[in-house]
Amino acid sequence: MKNRLTVCASHLITLPSAPFGPVREAIATARDAVTAFDPELVVFFGTDHRRAFRSVVPTFAVVLEATAQGDVAGPVGSYDVPSALGRSLVADLVAGEFDVATAYEAALDHAFGHTTRDLLGAVDATPVLPIFVNCASPPHATFRRAASLGRRVGEFFADRRVLYVGSGGLAHDLPGFREPETGEVLTEEERQAWIRSVNEKARSEGTIRELVRTWDEAFLAGVGGTAWEWLDSIGADLVERGGNGAAECLTWTAAWAAGGQPLRTLAHEFDTGGRAVAIS
């Protein structure tokens, strides 16, 4: 039996308002594969939408205790996090010269919650070790650095039956994340009102980016192999080519490198942005 499986997926793809198309069907296929694989541990590379990490935004962080915020109709509850294993991973990453943070507790948003529920059924169904990757508050890591982190994580868990998950992307543009990070804490109601206002302003000023699918196709081709040469070019002019939301694919990149195997795209859709599901 193989001891590693990688699944990467856009989040929010099973909301009632999301399209009923190939990507929604593909997440069900991925869920069946996860069930058959029966992981002893899920290592989840996810991001945050400026909810969980406020006064300090680390580039990478291993989370030792986590709850689900339940935002955007997401799940609530506590993750089953193997904290002792997380501490050991942090020590190994620091020994490998990665400046990784330890998050002793974090209330994770839908970047983790939706995909966990989509693949596992509930946030506490299987032990999950969350690894936060900053994708929303520039400057963020390069794609090569995310891959390097993922490879080290994969080496650490080489003797375990692990499901690696990356959640986010693909190309999309979020006007609200163009504003510099301030660390301000908002209620969810205040946050949603602010998002509506900046989106309306972007539409009225004509600053919504018209993205095309070429960035998605290049990224999916990259994770569809095992070579690393593409990692430098994929991040060039990222905001112009893929929108600021494309940085969420740093999570895919880390999971891809951790699993060490090519990803097969089960489905990819593109309208004003991209969404996809891929599996090793």
Side-chain angles (χ1 to χ4, degrees):
M1 175 183 287
K2 65 179 182 180
N3 70 343
R4 56 187 172 180
L5 176 69
T6 305
V7 175
C8 294
S10 303
H11 39 245
L12 302 183
I13 56 180
T14 58
L15 282 174
S17 58
F20 283 80
V23 169
R24 187 187 286 262
E25 294 174 2
I27 198 69
T29 301
R31 181 170 58 249
D32 290 344
V34 168
T35 300
F37 178 65
D38 188 25
E40 63 176 289
L41 172 69
V42 179
V43 176
F44 195 125
F45 296 92
T47 185
D48 178 52
H49 299 84
R50 298 185 178 180
R51 288 185 176 90
F53 294 88
R54 303 306 306 124
S55 58
V56 175
V57 183
T59 300
F60 303 114
V62 176
V63 181
L64 303 186
E65 183 177 325
T67 55
Q69 290 199 18
D71 60 293
V72 198
V76 295
S78 297
Y79 290 83
D80 179 9
V81 181
S83 58
L85 191 59
R87 290 176 185 271
S88 296
L89 175 61
V90 171
D92 182 78
L93 290 171
V94 171
E97 299 187 347
F98 288 92
D99 297 322
V100 62
T102 302
Y104 293 105
E105 58 180 344
L108 304 174
D109 80 353
H110 67 268
F112 286 86
H114 274 261
T115 305
T116 300
R117 182 175 61 187
D118 289 346
L119 294 177
L120 305 178
V123 297
D124 60 353
T126 303
V128 173
L129 184 60
I131 300 179
F132 165 76
V133 181
N134 173 35
C135 303
S137 299
H140 49 66
T142 64
F143 282 84
R144 183 173 289 274
R145 189 58 171 168
S148 297
L149 176 88
R151 180 169 59 187
R152 181 78 181 202
V153 171
E155 292 169 351
F156 181 80
F157 290 115
D159 296 331
R160 294 175 178 266
R161 192 172 70 258
V162 177
L163 168 65
Y164 294 105
V165 176
S167 176
L170 299 172
H172 61 296
D173 196 57
L174 303 168
F177 290 166
R178 298 176 193 169
E179 300 295 325
E181 177 66 272
T182 65
E184 181 181 5
V185 177
L186 301 175
T187 67
E188 191 61 24
E189 291 75 16
E190 291 171 335
R191 176 184 175 79
Q192 293 303 324
W194 177 75
I195 289 173
R196 286 193 296 272
S197 69
V198 295
N199 287 344
E200 290 169 2
K201 180 180 179 182
R203 282 191 291 269
S204 66
E205 294 178 348
T207 59
I208 298 292
R209 288 189 172 87
E210 297 294 334
L211 302 173
V212 295
R213 60 188 300 137
T214 53
W215 190 90
D216 278 15
E217 291 167 346
F219 179 79
L220 291 171
V223 295
T226 57
W228 280 38
E229 289 82 2
W230 63 279
L231 290 169
D232 298 319
S233 60
I234 200 68
D237 300 320
L238 180 65
V239 173
E240 294 301 321
R241 295 193 298 138
N244 56 16
E248 291 181 350
C249 288
L250 290 166
T251 67
W252 284 51
T253 304
W256 163 78
Q261 299 169 325
L263 301 185
R264 175 171 55 95
T265 301
L266 297 179
H268 174 223
E269 299 170 16
F270 193 96
D271 39 46
T272 58
R275 54 191 173 274
V277 177
I279 190 169
S280 64

